[in-house]
Amino acid sequence: METWPGSPFPLGATLRHDGTNFAIFSEVAEKIELCLFDEDGTETRVPLVEVDAYIWHAFVPGIGAGQRYGYRVHGPYDPAQGQRANPNKLLLDPYAKATSGDIDWDQSLFGYTFGDPDSRNDEDSASHMMLGVVVDSDFDWSGDERPRIPYNRTVIYEAHVKGLTQLHPDVPEHQRGTYSAVAHPSVINHLKRIGVTAIELMPVHQFVNDSTLQDKGLSNYWGYNTIGFFAPHAGYASGGDRGEQVDEFKSMVRALHEAGIEVILDVVYNHTAEGNHLGPTLSFRGIDNAAYYRLVEDDPQFYMDYTGTGNSLNVRHPHSLQLIMDSLRYWVTEMHVDGFRFDLAATLAREFYEVDRLATFFELVQQDPIVSQVKLIAEPWDVGPGGYQVGNFPPQWTEWNGKYRDTVRDFWRGEPSTIGEFAERLSGSADLYEGEGRRPVASINFVTAHDGFTLRDLVSYNEKHNEANGEDSQDGESHNRSWNGGVEGETDDATVLAIRARQQRNFLATLLLSQGVPMIAHGDELGRTQLGNNNTYAQDSELTWIHWDDADQGLIEFTAAVAALRDEHPTFRRIRFFNGRPVTRGVGEPLPDIEWLAPDGNAMSEEDWDADFVKAATAFLNGQGIRGRDARGRRITDDNVLLLFNAAEVDVDFTLPGEEYGGRWSVAVDTSGAAPAELRAGETLSVMSRSLLVLVAA
């Protein structure tokens, strides 16, 4: 086959008008063959003879969009020294922008023979591998513009492409579980109804289903097992695997943007699907094992594992870092996404052994003119030593605030001595973020996420019930900070059901009205249950899919109302931390921008904060103390607000503060449904056990 020298950049397969340029990095290769596959599976091998700075490349005239391809890398094979090249293993291009087919876990995919890990396996893997696909990047974006929603106006909805849409009755059956389904007007209208401004999609990079799960009749449902950092997962496309998934993904983004909704991707750059030293050879391992993976320094046949998945990407190597940055830029520039949530982000900061906030990866992000301008969200932990790094990421980043989740759960289940930290979390977690020059929006607040109980299960189960996973319920978190309301699991007890319904409203209202950025887990606003399973990573079934026909309409309406309240009142969306100092603007006695009051209407005393039995308090938010300006430079003000929290097991009498705080109050949120519509200064009312009232000065 005729080839021309081509160009070493960009890496990957780049379509041009008269053919395709192919470029791949390998520092250890002695020879690389480009493998082109016809429709009938016939393979044509094309040697790449041009090499520049370890980039092997060629231009192949006549090769167009839809062409399937892979690589074979000839080079040293010495696992004891961390070298695993084997030309008998067909390899996926790390820069492939689409994939075709799937792997079937045949023995030929492995570098050794089953049962003998020290052997060498030279079986050809081509017929058992997924292939890369040449993609035409042209797309009619129709003037698409990113919504660019400020963090303080952002409401994130964490969702799974299939789980969100597979059972949606309004989505055509052939589209369910796909990118097209996420873009369906019924789905978008629901997101808009509950105030969502950004959908955070669980992994959509091409991933691999684990053989151990398939052997059990399960699958890697969550998708945290990436093999292709540029390719949208083909399993979420409604039709075709010759690059059609790329256009379908773009169409989804375009539709969401038209509705004013941003798209954030949950990305897994900390490891790949090739696993540990006993894993298959699918791509990176066979291309340049030591460049792409962290190997044990004194025994490089093994992999450093800070992720619990068998390997960790080598962020100390320039080409691994380039891969990550090229991927991020591609998803922003070509796919128009609006941000990223980085799974186990602490791993990306481990240049040596410890987590380092000054790691090269963060420097590259900071300096990049494209990636630095989108939303960057860290899951600020991994499973390695010192991996819990909540509050320690660079100022440009926001973080999943695990301390917010734990504290809010503890408070509403009635744990003692939680009122002080609850107040800290509600007001933006200044103890974590203010000292680094960050803002309240650095905290991505959440009560539930994909990993753990759903909201309904959080208030229905004391223990995990993971039997369906086939691990004797040994998997998943055992300390869930949950409370079942008095009965474990499903029940017809009206009293218990009333408590559970109230608790769900308490959590949602607290989440949406806390300072910071709220994140709702998909289906929580509908009352979705997983029957107590808190680790559904392997459950691609009706257990995890949203049952739209069984949705709790009342809870949806409640969520929508609280989201609207948040949107209407900037006091819930501050861009600066409270300082507690008196605000002298306006008429009347100066009042602090925030003040915590005991149920008797007086300021909380030191004894109140320290007492382990205190489970009720009022938060006063001063509408004159926002300390912000709008786009035109005008000072932002708002109505005064009172939030009355009662997490006690009994009803508590609350006395409203004096006239200086507000003369008349209207009830904006009542999770109990028992409060009067209006109240006056100094009035006393009984607040139901485990309930929340939000009052706005009338």
Side-chain angles (χ1 to χ4, degrees), residues 433-452:
Y433 304 114
E434 188 174 24
E436 299 295 334
R438 301 166 81 180
R439 300 290 181 88
V441 294
S443 177
I444 304 296
N445 299 328
F446 67 106
V447 175
T448 59
H450 67 273
D451 188 3

PDB file of all heavy atoms in Angstrom, residues 433-452:
ATOM      1  N   TYR A 433     -11.697  26.099  52.599  1.00  0.00           N
ATOM      2  CA  TYR A 433     -11.382  26.786  51.351  1.00  0.00           C
ATOM      3  C   TYR A 433     -10.956  28.245  51.496  1.00  0.00           C
ATOM      4  O   TYR A 433     -10.226  28.753  50.644  1.00  0.00           O
ATOM      5  CB  TYR A 433     -12.586  26.712  50.407  1.00  0.00           C
ATOM      6  CG  TYR A 433     -13.031  25.291  50.142  1.00  0.00           C
ATOM      7  CD1 TYR A 433     -14.273  24.826  50.575  1.00  0.00           C
ATOM      8  CD2 TYR A 433     -12.194  24.396  49.478  1.00  0.00           C
ATOM      9  CE1 TYR A 433     -14.671  23.522  50.343  1.00  0.00           C
ATOM     10  CE2 TYR A 433     -12.586  23.089  49.242  1.00  0.00           C
ATOM     11  CZ  TYR A 433     -13.828  22.659  49.680  1.00  0.00           C
ATOM     12  OH  TYR A 433     -14.218  21.364  49.452  1.00  0.00           O
ATOM     13  N   GLU A 434     -11.376  28.936  52.537  1.00  0.00           N
ATOM     14  CA  GLU A 434     -11.131  30.374  52.593  1.00  0.00           C
ATOM     15  C   GLU A 434      -9.652  30.704  52.711  1.00  0.00           C
ATOM     16  O   GLU A 434      -9.171  31.680  52.131  1.00  0.00           O
ATOM     17  CB  GLU A 434     -11.907  31.001  53.752  1.00  0.00           C
ATOM     18  CG  GLU A 434     -11.857  32.518  53.756  1.00  0.00           C
ATOM     19  CD  GLU A 434     -12.748  33.123  54.835  1.00  0.00           C
ATOM     20  OE1 GLU A 434     -13.029  32.425  55.833  1.00  0.00           O
ATOM     21  OE2 GLU A 434     -13.165  34.288  54.670  1.00  0.00           O
ATOM     22  N   GLY A 435      -8.907  29.896  53.437  1.00  0.00           N
ATOM     23  CA  GLY A 435      -7.495  30.196  53.661  1.00  0.00           C
ATOM     24  C   GLY A 435      -6.653  30.134  52.412  1.00  0.00           C
ATOM     25  O   GLY A 435      -5.536  30.647  52.376  1.00  0.00           O
ATOM     26  N   GLU A 436      -7.140  29.522  51.368  1.00  0.00           N
ATOM     27  CA  GLU A 436      -6.392  29.403  50.118  1.00  0.00           C
ATOM     28  C   GLU A 436      -6.858  30.414  49.080  1.00  0.00           C
ATOM     29  O   GLU A 436      -6.566  30.277  47.886  1.00  0.00           O
ATOM     30  CB  GLU A 436      -6.542  27.983  49.565  1.00  0.00           C
ATOM     31  CG  GLU A 436      -6.014  26.900  50.485  1.00  0.00           C
ATOM     32  CD  GLU A 436      -4.511  26.994  50.679  1.00  0.00           C
ATOM     33  OE1 GLU A 436      -3.843  27.526  49.769  1.00  0.00           O
ATOM     34  OE2 GLU A 436      -4.016  26.539  51.722  1.00  0.00           O
ATOM     35  N   GLY A 437      -7.603  31.415  49.507  1.00  0.00           N
ATOM     36  CA  GLY A 437      -8.077  32.424  48.578  1.00  0.00           C
ATOM     37  C   GLY A 437      -9.190  31.941  47.676  1.00  0.00           C
ATOM     38  O   GLY A 437      -9.448  32.529  46.620  1.00  0.00           O
ATOM     39  N   ARG A 438      -9.867  30.887  48.089  1.00  0.00           N
ATOM     40  CA  ARG A 438     -10.938  30.338  47.269  1.00  0.00           C
ATOM     41  C   ARG A 438     -12.278  30.894  47.725  1.00  0.00           C
ATOM     42  O   ARG A 438     -12.375  31.612  48.715  1.00  0.00           O
ATOM     43  CB  ARG A 438     -10.906  28.805  47.337  1.00  0.00           C
ATOM     44  CG  ARG A 438      -9.579  28.259  46.850  1.00  0.00           C
ATOM     45  CD  ARG A 438      -9.364  26.809  47.200  1.00  0.00           C
ATOM     46  NE  ARG A 438     -10.038  25.918  46.274  1.00  0.00           N
ATOM     47  CZ  ARG A 438     -10.007  24.597  46.370  1.00  0.00           C
ATOM     48  NH1 ARG A 438      -9.343  24.014  47.367  1.00  0.00           N
ATOM     49  NH2 ARG A 438     -10.632  23.833  45.488  1.00  0.00           N
ATOM     50  N   ARG A 439     -13.322  30.576  47.006  1.00  0.00           N
ATOM     51  CA  ARG A 439     -14.659  31.089  47.265  1.00  0.00           C
ATOM     52  C   ARG A 439     -15.562  29.946  47.740  1.00  0.00           C
ATOM     53  O   ARG A 439     -15.204  28.767  47.617  1.00  0.00           O
ATOM     54  CB  ARG A 439     -15.230  31.717  45.986  1.00  0.00           C
ATOM     55  CG  ARG A 439     -14.393  32.892  45.445  1.00  0.00           C
ATOM     56  CD  ARG A 439     -14.475  34.114  46.339  1.00  0.00           C
ATOM     57  NE  ARG A 439     -13.708  35.249  45.827  1.00  0.00           N
ATOM     58  CZ  ARG A 439     -14.192  36.159  44.983  1.00  0.00           C
ATOM     59  NH1 ARG A 439     -15.433  36.059  44.530  1.00  0.00           N
ATOM     60  NH2 ARG A 439     -13.446  37.166  44.581  1.00  0.00           N
ATOM     61  N   PRO A 440     -16.760  30.264  48.214  1.00  0.00           N
ATOM     62  CA  PRO A 440     -17.680  29.187  48.627  1.00  0.00           C
ATOM     63  C   PRO A 440     -17.963  28.182  47.516  1.00  0.00           C
ATOM     64  O   PRO A 440     -18.214  27.000  47.794  1.00  0.00           O
ATOM     65  CB  PRO A 440     -18.941  29.953  49.033  1.00  0.00           C
ATOM     66  CG  PRO A 440     -18.457  31.298  49.447  1.00  0.00           C
ATOM     67  CD  PRO A 440     -17.294  31.598  48.545  1.00  0.00           C
ATOM     68  N   VAL A 441     -17.912  28.648  46.260  1.00  0.00           N
ATOM     69  CA  VAL A 441     -18.215  27.741  45.154  1.00  0.00           C
ATOM     70  C   VAL A 441     -17.133  26.694  44.935  1.00  0.00           C
ATOM     71  O   VAL A 441     -17.298  25.800  44.097  1.00  0.00           O
ATOM     72  CB  VAL A 441     -18.450  28.526  43.850  1.00  0.00           C
ATOM     73  CG1 VAL A 441     -19.702  29.379  43.950  1.00  0.00           C
ATOM     74  CG2 VAL A 441     -17.234  29.382  43.489  1.00  0.00           C
ATOM     75  N   ALA A 442     -16.029  26.751  45.672  1.00  0.00           N
ATOM     76  CA  ALA A 442     -15.043  25.674  45.604  1.00  0.00           C
ATOM     77  C   ALA A 442     -15.626  24.366  46.122  1.00  0.00           C
ATOM     78  O   ALA A 442     -15.129  23.282  45.799  1.00  0.00           O
ATOM     79  CB  ALA A 442     -13.795  26.038  46.401  1.00  0.00           C
ATOM     80  N   SER A 443     -16.690  24.467  46.908  1.00  0.00           N
ATOM     81  CA  SER A 443     -17.316  23.283  47.498  1.00  0.00           C
ATOM     82  C   SER A 443     -18.446  22.784  46.619  1.00  0.00           C
ATOM     83  O   SER A 443     -19.466  23.449  46.458  1.00  0.00           O
ATOM     84  CB  SER A 443     -17.856  23.621  48.894  1.00  0.00           C
ATOM     85  OG  SER A 443     -18.514  22.507  49.455  1.00  0.00           O
ATOM     86  N   ILE A 444     -18.258  21.604  46.023  1.00  0.00           N
ATOM     87  CA  ILE A 444     -19.361  20.923  45.350  1.00  0.00           C
ATOM     88  C   ILE A 444     -20.070  20.111  46.425  1.00  0.00           C
ATOM     89  O   ILE A 444     -19.559  19.102  46.901  1.00  0.00           O
ATOM     90  CB  ILE A 444     -18.870  20.009  44.213  1.00  0.00           C
ATOM     91  CG1 ILE A 444     -18.021  20.801  43.216  1.00  0.00           C
ATOM     92  CG2 ILE A 444     -20.066  19.344  43.526  1.00  0.00           C
ATOM     93  CD1 ILE A 444     -18.762  21.886  42.473  1.00  0.00           C
ATOM     94  N   ASN A 445     -21.233  20.598  46.832  1.00  0.00           N
ATOM     95  CA  ASN A 445     -21.978  19.970  47.920  1.00  0.00           C
ATOM     96  C   ASN A 445     -22.816  18.814  47.386  1.00  0.00           C
ATOM     97  O   ASN A 445     -23.472  18.937  46.353  1.00  0.00           O
ATOM     98  CB  ASN A 445     -22.897  20.986  48.590  1.00  0.00           C
ATOM     99  CG  ASN A 445     -22.136  22.150  49.196  1.00  0.00           C
ATOM    100  OD1 ASN A 445     -21.006  21.992  49.656  1.00  0.00           O
ATOM    101  ND2 ASN A 445     -22.743  23.328  49.217  1.00  0.00           N
ATOM    102  N   PHE A 446     -22.798  17.716  48.100  1.00  0.00           N
ATOM    103  CA  PHE A 446     -23.650  16.596  47.722  1.00  0.00           C
ATOM    104  C   PHE A 446     -23.971  15.774  48.958  1.00  0.00           C
ATOM    105  O   PHE A 446     -23.205  15.742  49.920  1.00  0.00           O
ATOM    106  CB  PHE A 446     -22.991  15.734  46.640  1.00  0.00           C
ATOM    107  CG  PHE A 446     -21.757  14.982  47.095  1.00  0.00           C
ATOM    108  CD1 PHE A 446     -21.788  13.615  47.314  1.00  0.00           C
ATOM    109  CD2 PHE A 446     -20.543  15.642  47.281  1.00  0.00           C
ATOM    110  CE1 PHE A 446     -20.663  12.918  47.720  1.00  0.00           C
ATOM    111  CE2 PHE A 446     -19.400  14.959  47.685  1.00  0.00           C
ATOM    112  CZ  PHE A 446     -19.461  13.587  47.908  1.00  0.00           C
ATOM    113  N   VAL A 447     -25.122  15.142  48.919  1.00  0.00           N
ATOM    114  CA  VAL A 447     -25.534  14.232  49.987  1.00  0.00           C
ATOM    115  C   VAL A 447     -25.433  12.791  49.508  1.00  0.00           C
ATOM    116  O   VAL A 447     -25.088  11.888  50.262  1.00  0.00           O
ATOM    117  CB  VAL A 447     -26.966  14.549  50.456  1.00  0.00           C
ATOM    118  CG1 VAL A 447     -27.444  13.530  51.482  1.00  0.00           C
ATOM    119  CG2 VAL A 447     -27.035  15.955  51.044  1.00  0.00           C
ATOM    120  N   THR A 448     -25.750  12.576  48.245  1.00  0.00           N
ATOM    121  CA  THR A 448     -25.633  11.260  47.628  1.00  0.00           C
ATOM    122  C   THR A 448     -24.968  11.413  46.272  1.00  0.00           C
ATOM    123  O   THR A 448     -24.969  12.486  45.672  1.00  0.00           O
ATOM    124  CB  THR A 448     -27.013  10.606  47.437  1.00  0.00           C
ATOM    125  OG1 THR A 448     -27.804  11.456  46.604  1.00  0.00           O
ATOM    126  CG2 THR A 448     -27.717  10.397  48.763  1.00  0.00           C
ATOM    127  N   ALA A 449     -24.404  10.309  45.781  1.00  0.00           N
ATOM    128  CA  ALA A 449     -23.808  10.265  44.455  1.00  0.00           C
ATOM    129  C   ALA A 449     -23.980   8.848  43.925  1.00  0.00           C
ATOM    130  O   ALA A 449     -24.630   8.007  44.563  1.00  0.00           O
ATOM    131  CB  ALA A 449     -22.331  10.665  44.520  1.00  0.00           C
ATOM    132  N   HIS A 450     -23.404   8.574  42.767  1.00  0.00           N
ATOM    133  CA  HIS A 450     -23.551   7.230  42.190  1.00  0.00           C
ATOM    134  C   HIS A 450     -23.021   6.163  43.129  1.00  0.00           C
ATOM    135  O   HIS A 450     -23.537   5.045  43.156  1.00  0.00           O
ATOM    136  CB  HIS A 450     -22.806   7.164  40.851  1.00  0.00           C
ATOM    137  CG  HIS A 450     -21.312   7.269  40.992  1.00  0.00           C
ATOM    138  ND1 HIS A 450     -20.657   8.487  41.028  1.00  0.00           N
ATOM    139  CD2 HIS A 450     -20.345   6.323  41.134  1.00  0.00           C
ATOM    140  CE1 HIS A 450     -19.364   8.285  41.170  1.00  0.00           C
ATOM    141  NE2 HIS A 450     -19.139   6.984  41.243  1.00  0.00           N
ATOM    142  N   ASP A 451     -21.992   6.501  43.886  1.00  0.00           N
ATOM    143  CA  ASP A 451     -21.329   5.558  44.787  1.00  0.00           C
ATOM    144  C   ASP A 451     -21.964   5.669  46.167  1.00  0.00           C
ATOM    145  O   ASP A 451     -21.683   6.602  46.913  1.00  0.00           O
ATOM    146  CB  ASP A 451     -19.838   5.879  44.849  1.00  0.00           C
ATOM    147  CG  ASP A 451     -19.049   4.841  45.616  1.00  0.00           C
ATOM    148  OD1 ASP A 451     -19.644   3.840  46.062  1.00  0.00           O
ATOM    149  OD2 ASP A 451     -17.832   5.017  45.763  1.00  0.00           O
ATOM    150  N   GLY A 452     -22.825   4.721  46.506  1.00  0.00           N
ATOM    151  CA  GLY A 452     -23.505   4.761  47.799  1.00  0.00           C
ATOM    152  C   GLY A 452     -25.004   4.635  47.646  1.00  0.00           C
ATOM    153  O   GLY A 452     -25.528   4.322  46.572  1.00  0.00           O
TER     154      GLY A 452
END
